[in-house]
Amino acid sequence: MKMESPIPLDLTRAASAFAALGSEQRLSVLRTLVRAGPEGLSIGALADRTGITGSTLTHHVKILSTAGLVTQARQGRSIICAAVAFDEVESLSRFLLTECCADGAAPAEDHHHG
């Protein structure tokens, strides 16, 4: 399945997303959700896999959600946290790599960032 090209990030949105990832626990939550795929995980499963529980997990998920990296949806009595916003994660990568080596003295021919 081919995803549509994500909307390019501006500096403010990129800074917000990178700031949200400035915690080992939040990075662990995002990485766990990326591994889970688009179906996401329930809060309970996310807690089990990351070792982060209760209000601490809720706090970290809220920060990631505000930054546009995670979505949350209610399914019955569970909250699915959260099918990762893969387009935002891809946009962050492109934000860093789009201009790779642009100011270098010579283009780096061995750098391919597609």
Side-chain angles (χ1 to χ4, degrees):
M1 171 167 74
K2 182 161 174 39
M3 295 191 311
E4 291 182 27
S5 181
I7 298 170
L9 288 179
D10 63 28
L11 192 57
T12 302
R13 280 184 51 213
S16 174
F18 282 117
L21 295 174
S23 154
E24 287 181 28
Q25 289 184 322
R26 285 191 294 275
L27 192 54
S28 175
V29 167
L30 182 63
R31 186 172 187 225
T32 300
L33 291 171
V34 167
R35 291 176 57 91
E39 297 80 27
L41 297 169
S42 69
I43 289 281
L46 185 57
D48 289 343
R49 292 187 189 186
T50 62
I52 306 167
T53 59
S55 61
T56 302
L57 179 58
T58 301
H59 169 75
H60 289 310
V61 169
K62 181 180 179 183
I63 290 171
L64 291 168
S65 179
T66 299
L69 297 171
V70 167
T71 60
Q72 299 180 69
R74 183 168 290 283
Q75 281 186 358
R77 294 179 8 177
S78 297
I79 294 178
I80 302 302
C81 267
V84 173
F86 289 99
D87 55 339
E88 285 294 313
V89 174
E90 184 178 356
S91 290
L92 283 174
S93 297
R94 289 190 188 283
F95 179 82
L96 288 177
L97 299 174
T98 296
E99 296 183 36
C100 177
C101 312
D103 293 336
E109 293 178 18
D110 62 341
H111 286 81
H112 301 286
H113 304 295

